[in-house]
Amino acid sequence: MRQGVGDELPPPSPDRYQPTSTFGKEGYYDGFGADAEKGGFPSQERKMSRIDRPYKSTVGGLGNELTADDDTDPSISVGKQMELEAGNTIKYRTCSWQKTAALLFSEYICLAIMSFPYSYSVLGLIPGLILTVVVAGLVLYTSLVVWEFCLRHPEVKDVCDIGQMLFWNQKWAWWATAVMFLLNNTFIQGFHCLVGSKYMNTMAGADHHICTIGFSVIMAIVSFFCSLPRTFSTLAKLATLSAFTTFVSVLLATIFAGIEDHPRGVAGMRWPTQGPVTYLLVPASGTTFVAGMNAFMNISYTFIGQITIPSFIAEMKEPKDFPKALWAVTIAEIIVFSLVGSIIYVYTGTAYNTAPAFGSLGNETYLKVSFSFMIPTLIFLGVLYASVSARFVFFRLFAGTRHLGNNTVKGWLGWSAILATTWVFAFIIAEVIPFFSDLLSLMSSLFDSFFGFIFWGVAYIRMRRADYGPGWWKVNGVRSMMMAALNVACIFIGMLFLTAGTYASVESIKQGYASAAFGGPFSCVSNGV
C-alpha cells in the first residue's frame, strides 16, 4: 500500500543484503548471449542476493513502490537479461501476462477438478465449499509472496534458487529443493501416463487386446514429442487449448450429471444397489480422520502449484504484470471448482460417487464424450511439468554456452535427452508402483508442504526482516502483527500437511494393501473407469 503524505518508514536495516552478489553472473546465468563453451555447474560460490526493497507495493502493505529496475544490480535485471539475449535465436524473456495466464489455467483447470465431488462427499457440501474458498485464498496470497520475491531477485530461474536463498545460502538447501522439485514433477508426469492409459482403456471398452502397459507407452511417447518446445511462450498456445477443452469437458460432465436418469457408481456398488441418490451438507457421522484428511488434501493439492511460478516469471517480459494472470486464474478456479464439484456431487450422490467423477455418469455415451474433451490436458499438464524439469537441468548444464539460446545440434540433443529421461522415469514409476494414486498423495504431502506454504511463510519473514530489521513485525502496528501471524500460520499449515497429511496417506496405503485393492506392477489388466 502506498504510504500517505507525511508517513515515514523506518530506515532499512543496516544489515540488509546489498546488491553486490555474484549470484547469476559469470558462469551461471550469464549464458543468454555468450558464445564461450563453458557449461556445467559453476565453480564459484553462489552468494545471497538482494533480499531487499521490492519493486512494487508489498503483499503486507509495507515498503515503497518502485516500478523499474532501479533497485537491482543492472547486470541481472530483467531489462539486462532481455538485452543480453536479443541476438539469440531462442529468446526466453518473451512471455506476456496473457500467455502466463494460459500456462496457469492449463496447470489448474485440469483433471483434478473431477475429484472435487468425491471430496465433497466425504467432507459434506458446506465444509467442502468453505475449504475450497479458504485454500484458494491462501494459495493466492502465497503466490503473491512468490511474485514479490521474484521481483526482488529477477536472476532466479526456478524454485531451487529460491530454496537456497531462503535458507541463508546453504548448498544443502539447493540440493534438497532440487531433489523434491524433480521428484514432484516426475511423479506428476507418471500420473499422467497412468491417467492416459485409463482414458484409452475406457474408450476401448472391454473387447480389446492392447495391454495397459502399451497404452502407457503411447501416452509417454506422445507427451515427449509435445514437450519439445523450448520456451513457455511457445507452450502457451498448447496451454490455451488444454484449458479450453478441460472447461468444455467438465461443463459437459456437469450438464450430463444433471440430465441423465441415474448415476452409475463403482464396481460392486452400481445403481440402484445403494438406494436413491443422497447428498450430505455436513460430514457423515463416523467419518474417519484418514478419510477426511485425504479429502481435504485432495482439494488442497489441486490448488497448490507455486512450484512452477518462479519458472514462469523468469520468462515474462514484464514480471510486474504477473498478478493479472494470477487473479484471473484464481477467480476462475473458485467458480469452476465449486460449481462443478457441488453440482455433480448433488446429482450423483454419496453412494455412487467415483474419482474422477466421469465414472459416476450412468450413460456410457455421456461418460465417453465428456472424458474425451479432457485429452489435451491429459497430455499437456504432464508436458508442462516435464518442460519445467528439463528447463531446470538444461539451464545448468548449458549455462554460458551458445547452445542455451541458439538452435544448435548439441543444444537440441541435450534438451531432447533430458526430456526423454524424465518420461522414461515417469513411465517406470507409473507401472512399478501399484498404489500410485496414494503414493502421489504421499509425495504431495511431503513436497507441497514446502512448495505450497512453508517456503513462502519463510520468504515473507526474510523479506520483511531485510527491509526493517528484527522489529519488522511491529513496524506498522497492528497490520504488521497480523501479517506476521498470517505467515507464521502458513508455516504451521505446511507442517500440518507434512505431518497429518503424510500420516493419512500412509494409512490409506496400508488400508489398500489390507483390502487387496492394489494391482501388480506392469499389469495388463484394464484400468478404465
Side-chain angles (χ1 to χ4, degrees):
M1 181 178 298
R2 186 183 295 275
Q3 298 294 310
V5 177
D7 292 348
E8 291 186 3
L9 288 170
S13 171
D15 61 349
R16 76 177 189 177
Y17 289 96
Q18 299 298 323
T20 57
S21 170
T22 57
F23 186 100
K25 294 185 181 178
E26 180 66 16
Y28 203 81
Y29 288 138
D30 61 340
F32 289 97
D35 289 329
E37 294 282 347
K38 290 180 281 186
F41 289 90
S43 58
Q44 67 188 76
E45 181 182 0
R46 295 166 57 202
K47 298 180 180 179
M48 178 69 73
S49 174
R50 286 171 325 283
I51 296 185
D52 202 339
R53 295 279 184 183
Y55 297 155
K56 297 289 286 183
S57 58
T58 68
V59 173
L62 297 175
N64 297 326
E65 289 189 2
L66 305 179
T67 57
D69 286 342
D70 54 1
D71 198 37
T72 183
D73 184 338
S75 66
I76 48 179
S77 69
V78 173
K80 184 63 174 179
Q81 289 178 24
M82 295 177 69
E83 178 184 335
L84 289 173
E85 69 172 5
N88 292 352
T89 306
I90 300 173
K91 298 177 178 62
Y92 293 97
R93 282 280 185 186
T94 54
C95 254
S96 62
W97 75 263
Q98 293 91 342
K99 290 182 177 180
T100 304
L103 294 170
L104 288 174
F105 270 102
S106 69
E107 181 180 3
Y108 290 110
I109 307 299
C110 61
L111 179 65
I113 299 172
M114 299 304 285
S115 64
F116 272 64
Y118 159 75
S119 294
Y120 291 172
S121 73
V122 175
L123 297 170
L125 194 56
I126 294 175
L129 288 171
I130 291 173
L131 285 173
T132 298
V133 176
V134 170
V135 173
L138 283 172
V139 172
L140 171 65
Y141 169 74
T142 52
S143 298
L144 289 172
V145 174
V146 181
W147 167 68
E148 183 187 331
F149 194 97
C150 291
L151 285 183
R152 292 168 177 255
H153 304 277
E155 74 276 19
V156 299
K157 295 298 173 186
D158 45 60
V159 76
C160 302
D161 288 341
I162 295 178
Q164 177 170 331
M165 296 176 74
L166 286 181
F167 296 99
W168 298 276
N169 201 34
Q170 296 298 309
K171 196 64 178 178
W172 64 262
W174 187 91
W175 283 106
T177 307
V179 170
M180 291 192 295
F181 179 73
L182 291 174
L183 282 176
N184 179 82
N185 295 351
T186 306
F187 269 82
I188 291 176
Q189 290 175 242
F191 180 73
H192 281 266
C193 287
L194 183 68
V195 177
S197 68
K198 184 184 289 288
Y199 167 78
M200 286 183 268
N201 269 312
T202 301
M203 294 300 109
D207 301 324
H208 72 87
H209 305 288
I210 300 177
C211 178
T212 296
I213 298 173
F215 284 143
S216 292
V217 170
I218 292 171
M219 189 69 178
I221 293 174
V222 171
S223 298
F224 163 75
F225 282 105
C226 291
S227 305
L228 287 174
R230 294 255 289 268
T231 66
F232 290 135
S233 181
T234 304
L235 285 178
K237 299 174 184 177
L238 292 175
T240 303
L241 173 65
S242 170
F244 174 75
T245 56
T246 300
F247 176 73
V248 172
S249 175
V250 299
L251 179 64
L252 288 175
T254 305
I255 294 171
F256 291 155
I259 66 175
E260 68 178 2
D261 295 332
H262 59 78
R264 182 174 67 155
V266 298
M269 301 176 66
R270 302 292 192 197
W271 169 271
T273 60
Q274 306 303 306
V277 173
T278 60
Y279 61 90
L280 302 171
L281 294 179
V282 294
S285 60
T287 300
T288 65
F289 171 79
V290 171
M293 195 66 188
N294 278 330
F296 166 65
M297 290 295 184
N298 181 74
I299 291 174
S300 302
Y301 298 151
T302 307
F303 282 103
I304 294 173
Q306 298 96 313
I307 189 173
T308 62
I309 289 177
S311 300
F312 293 163
I313 293 177
E315 291 199 13
M316 290 187 69
K317 292 184 292 187
E318 295 287 352
K320 62 184 176 62
D321 289 338
F322 175 76
K324 297 178 183 178
L326 183 63
W327 275 101
V329 74
T330 301
I331 293 170
E333 281 178 305
I334 293 174
I335 294 172
V336 174
F337 292 4
S338 300
L339 288 178
V340 171
S342 57
I343 293 173
I344 292 181
Y345 171 50
V346 166
Y347 280 102
T348 58
T350 302
Y352 302 106
N353 200 275
T354 65
F358 294 113
S360 301
L361 298 177
N363 185 304
E364 186 174 354
T365 301
Y366 289 170
L367 186 161
K368 291 185 176 181
V369 169
S370 57
F371 201 178
S372 292
F373 276 94
M374 194 64 71
I375 293 176
T377 198
L378 295 182
I379 296 172
F380 182 77
L381 194 53
V383 165
L384 183 63
Y385 279 90
S387 182
V388 169
S389 292
R391 184 182 184 280
F392 166 73
V393 177
F394 186 79
F395 268 60
R396 280 150 181 82
L397 292 181
F398 291 94
T401 74
R402 61 190 178 89
H403 308 296
L404 189 67
N406 293 281
N407 291 311
T408 65
V409 173
K410 185 176 180 180
W412 277 104
L413 286 177
W415 176 258
S416 301
I418 295 167
L419 283 172
T421 301
T422 66
W423 281 112
V424 168
F425 276 107
F427 165 75
I428 293 173
I429 289 170
E431 295 301 322
V432 165
I433 301 171
F435 49 87
F436 186 81
S437 294
D438 283 308
L439 185 65
L440 187 63
S441 295
L442 177 61
M443 301 293 284
S444 297
S445 298
L446 294 172
F447 301 155
D448 287 349
S449 56
F450 291 98
F451 295 134
F453 296 100
I454 295 175
F455 269 23
W456 315 123
V458 173
Y460 183 90
I461 293 171
R462 290 295 313 279
M463 288 188 292
R464 295 301 163 264
R465 184 179 174 85
D467 289 341
Y468 306 112
W472 65 271
W473 58 273
K474 57 183 178 181
V475 69
N476 229 10
V478 174
R479 184 172 61 183
S480 297
M481 295 178 188
M482 291 178 63
M483 293 306 300
L486 174 60
N487 285 277
V488 170
C490 285
I491 295 173
F492 277 105
I493 291 172
M495 295 303 296
L496 175 68
F497 275 55
L498 186 61
T499 53
T502 300
Y503 168 78
S505 299
V506 171
E507 284 298 311
S508 182
I509 292 171
K510 289 166 62 178
Q511 292 173 11
Y513 270 117
S515 62
F518 298 137
F522 289 98
S523 173
C524 279
V525 176
S526 174
N527 62 352
V529 299

